[in-house]
Amino acid sequence: MFANASDELSDAPAALAARARRRLLDLAVSRPVHLGASLSVVDILVAVHRVFGFTPARSADPDRHRLVLSKGHSVWALYCVLAELGMPGLDDPRAGHPLDGTPGVEAATGALGHGLSIGAGLAEAARLDGSDRRTAVVLGDGELNEGSVWEAAMFAAHRRLGNLVAVVDRNTLQQEGPTEQVLALEPLAAKWESFGWRVAEVDGHDCGLLVDTLTRPSAPTDRPTVLVAHTVKGRGVPYMEGEPRFHHLQLTERQHREAVAALDPRPAVAR
């Protein structure tokens, strides 16, 4: 797909993801956060940052690649990944959704379903500029209920935006319950294919596989790409995994100690 993974991020992606998870648990004991959805997306954010070369050194570069976190309530994971990458100003983040002016945030998102439209616009602008800039959009599966997502998907395919990649955090849960009970999405891969996108399904917690898939050469190059990344809400803390009650909360000191002690080594997949 995109074949020039950044050499600036020399740390192993899985090790970075493990540290980001610990940082996320520390944040959750100091304030309420969307914990389950943030834990599920950590590995995806690490892999996308590795492949696209999103680093503090390039945060003001007009030719930098762009990342839009459409599932804005998971911004706590983004804060933690950026902090681990050395982005200044994120030791004590406050905004519960991506906010313009926050270090490392390209676009404010919060009303779910709008991020892919923003990303498609950024990708179209790069195409019109004749630029090599690329755009990644990370979506939640629950927000695929929104019609604006599919309007953006049609636009991206119609405009042949091969410089656009979307990654769906397919953790199968949303605030109202299991996605397939709230509004069934399957067959999800076939839906994206029918909209003209290239589709790959991956283990969303295998950092090495995510990086390999994102860096694999693609053909044709004039179609947008989507990764359906299968994840587990609450990943990394076994007693939180798949548990809706950990969607949004502030951890007690006891819960925090138990969560840190229970941190699962499974996210540390290396390739």
Side-chain angles (χ1 to χ4, degrees):
M1 294 176 190
F2 302 122
N4 61 333
S6 172
D7 292 331
E8 295 180 68
L9 303 178
S10 57
D11 199 4
L16 195 156
R19 294 199 308 273
R21 278 192 169 84
R22 170 58 194 268
R23 185 182 288 266
L24 183 54
L25 293 176
D26 292 345
L27 271 179
V29 78
S30 66
R31 72 209 68 193
V33 305
H34 283 93
L35 188 56
S38 293
L39 286 167
S40 74
V41 80
V42 166
D43 303 291
I44 293 169
L45 290 174
V46 168
V48 171
H49 277 77
R50 167 60 63 94
V51 172
F52 278 72
F54 299 122
T55 63
R58 296 201 66 191
S59 61
D61 183 350
D63 291 324
R64 69 190 180 280
H65 305 310
R66 305 297 204 267
L67 168 64
V68 176
L69 180 62
S70 189
K71 53 175 292 180
H73 57 294
S74 298
V75 73
W76 306 101
L78 180 62
Y79 292 151
C80 292
V81 170
L82 288 171
E84 288 297 331
L85 291 174
M87 185 69 76
L90 290 174
D91 289 335
D92 189 28
R94 293 292 174 180
H97 283 264
L99 185 67
D100 287 335
T102 304
V105 170
E106 291 286 356
T109 56
L112 296 179
H114 294 169
L116 190 60
S117 297
I118 297 171
L122 291 169
E124 172 72 347
R127 187 187 69 81
L128 293 172
D129 287 344
S131 171
D132 293 332
R133 295 192 310 271
R134 298 164 296 182
T135 300
V137 180
V138 177
L139 303 115
D141 50 2
E143 71 175 312
L144 301 187
N145 297 352
E146 301 290 344
S148 54
V149 172
W150 302 103
E151 181 181 1
M154 286 191 292
F155 172 84
H158 178 73
R159 300 300 292 173
R160 301 184 180 278
L161 299 180
N163 59 346
L164 176 65
V165 60
V167 185
V168 177
D169 181 11
R170 185 71 170 113
N171 63 31
T172 73
L173 285 172
Q174 59 192 92
Q175 186 169 7
E176 297 84 358
T179 57
E180 297 310 287
Q181 292 181 18
V182 176
L183 187 62
L185 295 171
E186 296 297 341
L188 185 55
K191 283 185 171 69
W192 284 100
E193 288 174 343
S194 73
F195 276 73
W197 286 57
R198 297 180 64 256
V199 182
E201 294 194 69
V202 295
D203 178 349
H205 295 304
D206 186 331
C207 285
L209 178 60
L210 285 163
V211 169
D212 288 349
T213 305
L214 284 166
T215 55
R216 191 177 302 146
S218 61
T221 59
D222 62 348
R223 293 171 62 190
T225 298
V226 60
L227 268 61
V228 178
H230 295 280
T231 63
V232 176
K233 199 162 186 175
R235 177 62 176 231
V237 183
Y239 71 81
M240 294 184 185
E241 293 184 355
E243 285 291 336
R245 65 193 177 97
F246 292 105
H247 176 78
H248 182 265
L249 80 164
Q250 179 173 352
L251 295 176
T252 65
E253 292 286 349
R254 178 177 178 179
Q255 286 174 320
H256 177 256
R257 287 195 303 271
E258 292 174 349
V260 170
L263 275 174
D264 195 318
R266 284 177 299 169
V269 177
R271 283 178 175 253

